[in-house]
């Protein structure tokens, strides 16, 4: 009987469990056993696994998904647990992991940039097929239009901004809302447009602290202009903007002191953005990427990542017209380019934002 292993690694994201469920059900229908590796690469090194398939004599493949996979597929987080494994950077520990994979027919890694980097290293050091599924709420992985968790995170941010807007309008207040995204401002950019925010602050804009203070002060002045009946101002800030949210608000208050009678509040959403049940889109994409990953691993493909509607060329098509696969080396290069601003995708995002920025506060 063929056996696949699967692990979730790095930051959790809604949709990981949905991908696990899809993989396990597809594999079970083909008579393929699936082992879940506990706590990411730590579990792979230590050999800590659990069966995700159970015997089902009347099922087509003689196997079925275990109860936890079936029940928790709709939940956020990851039923396998996740971790960032410093040991995996060392050759000796990857050698232990590679040795454990010899008895298996494939490994699927679900995670973000660091997790896929680990998969790429491991794929070069062992013969077992290794494929990846992108999962990162920050949408900072190259060669894929989205990753698992992005849509759910955006919906969570929008709900929070809508609630903040309710109380802001009641008291004629301005709010600076910080969302996750250390290296990528995608969540801030996309949620600001969708929430009808008056401004957005990104690391990629390259503003100094003084420039940020000036920009926020001007956004508030403009939006609360005397000839307008505005009662709330909403500014979305990415976590990657290094000035702490409370410090930024304090400095803006000092700059506006005496000139405007307005209260400004800071709200940091933090890990609230990571949690919650995945949306339809995240569940649907998880299922389709999970199916493609099983197909790829069983076909013997290795050092590849499944991608959803890639915004760049060079991918290999699959049986699903929306899913392609790319070599992990190409994925990691494009990821670096996304984060350092040299990718055409990042340039397009910033150019689009610049064209919209003057309209946000209208």
């Amino acid at each position: 009987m063929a056996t696949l292993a699967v692990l979730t690694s790095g930051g959790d994201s809604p949709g990981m469990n949905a991908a696990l469920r899809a993989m396990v059900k597809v594999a079970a229908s083909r008579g393929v056993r699936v082992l879940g590796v506990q706590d990411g690469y730590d579990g792979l090194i230590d050999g800590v696994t659990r069966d995700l398939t159970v015997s089902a004599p009347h099922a087509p493949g003689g196997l079925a998904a275990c109860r936890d996979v079936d029940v928790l597929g709709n939940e956020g987080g990851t039923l396998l647990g996740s971790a960032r494994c410093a040991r995996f950077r060392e050759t000796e520990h990857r050698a232990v992991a590679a040795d454990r994979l010899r008895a298996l027919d494939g490994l699927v890694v679900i995670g973000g940039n660091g997790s896929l980097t680990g998969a790429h290293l491991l794929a070069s050091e062992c013969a077992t097929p290794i494929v990846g599924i992108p999962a990162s709420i920050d949408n900072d992985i190259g060669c894929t239009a989205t990753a698992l968790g992005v849509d759910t995170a955006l919906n969570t941010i929008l709900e929070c901004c809508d609630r903040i807007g309710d109380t802001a309008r009641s008291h004629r207040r301005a709010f600076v809302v910080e969302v996750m995204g250390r290296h990528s401002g995608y969540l801030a950019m996309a949620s600001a447009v969708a929430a009808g925010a008056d401004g957005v602050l990104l690391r990629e804009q390259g503003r100094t602290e003084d420039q940020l203070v000036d920009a926020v002060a001007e956004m508030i002045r403009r939006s609360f202009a005397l000839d307008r009946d505005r009662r709330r101002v909403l500014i979305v800030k990415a976590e990657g903007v290094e000035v702490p949210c409370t410090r930024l608000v304090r400095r803006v208050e000092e700059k506006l002191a005496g000139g405007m009678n307005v209260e400004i509040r800071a709200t940091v959403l933090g890990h609230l953005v990571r949690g919650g049940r995945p949306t339809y889109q995240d569940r649907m994409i998880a299922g389709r990427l999970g199916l493609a990953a099983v197909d790829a691993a069983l076909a013997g493909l290795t050092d590849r990542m499944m991608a959803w509607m890639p915004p760049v060329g060079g991918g290999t098509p699959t049986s699903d017209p929306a899913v392609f696969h790319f070599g992990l080396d190409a994925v990691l290069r494009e990821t670096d380019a996304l984060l350092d601003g040299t990718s055409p995708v990042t340039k397009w995002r910033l150019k689009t934002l610049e064209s919209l920025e003057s309209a946000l506060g209208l």
Side-chain angles (χ1 to χ4, degrees), residues 186 240 293:
Y186 179 85

mmCIF file with all atom_site columns, all heavy atoms in Angstrom, residues 186 240 293:
data_model
loop_
_atom_site.group_PDB
_atom_site.id
_atom_site.type_symbol
_atom_site.label_atom_id
_atom_site.label_alt_id
_atom_site.label_comp_id
_atom_site.label_asym_id
_atom_site.label_entity_id
_atom_site.label_seq_id
_atom_site.pdbx_PDB_ins_code
_atom_site.Cartn_x
_atom_site.Cartn_y
_atom_site.Cartn_z
_atom_site.occupancy
_atom_site.B_iso_or_equiv
_atom_site.pdbx_formal_charge
_atom_site.auth_seq_id
_atom_site.auth_comp_id
_atom_site.auth_asym_id
_atom_site.auth_atom_id
_atom_site.pdbx_PDB_model_num
ATOM 1  N N   . TYR A 1 186 ? 0.014  43.392 1.648  1.00 0.00 ? 186 TYR A N   1
ATOM 2  C CA  . TYR A 1 186 ? -1.163 43.026 0.847  1.00 0.00 ? 186 TYR A CA  1
ATOM 3  C C   . TYR A 1 186 ? -2.459 43.105 1.649  1.00 0.00 ? 186 TYR A C   1
ATOM 4  O O   . TYR A 1 186 ? -3.462 43.638 1.174  1.00 0.00 ? 186 TYR A O   1
ATOM 5  C CB  . TYR A 1 186 ? -0.996 41.609 0.277  1.00 0.00 ? 186 TYR A CB  1
ATOM 6  C CG  . TYR A 1 186 ? -2.198 41.180 -0.545 1.00 0.00 ? 186 TYR A CG  1
ATOM 7  C CD1 . TYR A 1 186 ? -2.304 41.522 -1.889 1.00 0.00 ? 186 TYR A CD1 1
ATOM 8  C CD2 . TYR A 1 186 ? -3.236 40.455 0.030  1.00 0.00 ? 186 TYR A CD2 1
ATOM 9  C CE1 . TYR A 1 186 ? -3.420 41.162 -2.631 1.00 0.00 ? 186 TYR A CE1 1
ATOM 10 C CE2 . TYR A 1 186 ? -4.353 40.093 -0.707 1.00 0.00 ? 186 TYR A CE2 1
ATOM 11 C CZ  . TYR A 1 186 ? -4.437 40.447 -2.038 1.00 0.00 ? 186 TYR A CZ  1
ATOM 12 O OH  . TYR A 1 186 ? -5.546 40.089 -2.766 1.00 0.00 ? 186 TYR A OH  1
ATOM 13 N N   . GLY A 1 240 ? 4.071  45.670 9.053  1.00 0.00 ? 240 GLY A N   1
ATOM 14 C CA  . GLY A 1 240 ? 5.445  45.883 8.601  1.00 0.00 ? 240 GLY A CA  1
ATOM 15 C C   . GLY A 1 240 ? 5.910  47.320 8.686  1.00 0.00 ? 240 GLY A C   1
ATOM 16 O O   . GLY A 1 240 ? 7.119  47.591 8.610  1.00 0.00 ? 240 GLY A O   1
ATOM 17 N N   . ALA A 1 293 ? -1.958 18.231 -5.234 1.00 0.00 ? 293 ALA A N   1
ATOM 18 C CA  . ALA A 1 293 ? -0.758 17.804 -4.506 1.00 0.00 ? 293 ALA A CA  1
ATOM 19 C C   . ALA A 1 293 ? -0.679 16.279 -4.419 1.00 0.00 ? 293 ALA A C   1
ATOM 20 O O   . ALA A 1 293 ? 0.399  15.694 -4.580 1.00 0.00 ? 293 ALA A O   1
ATOM 21 C CB  . ALA A 1 293 ? -0.758 18.417 -3.105 1.00 0.00 ? 293 ALA A CB  1
#
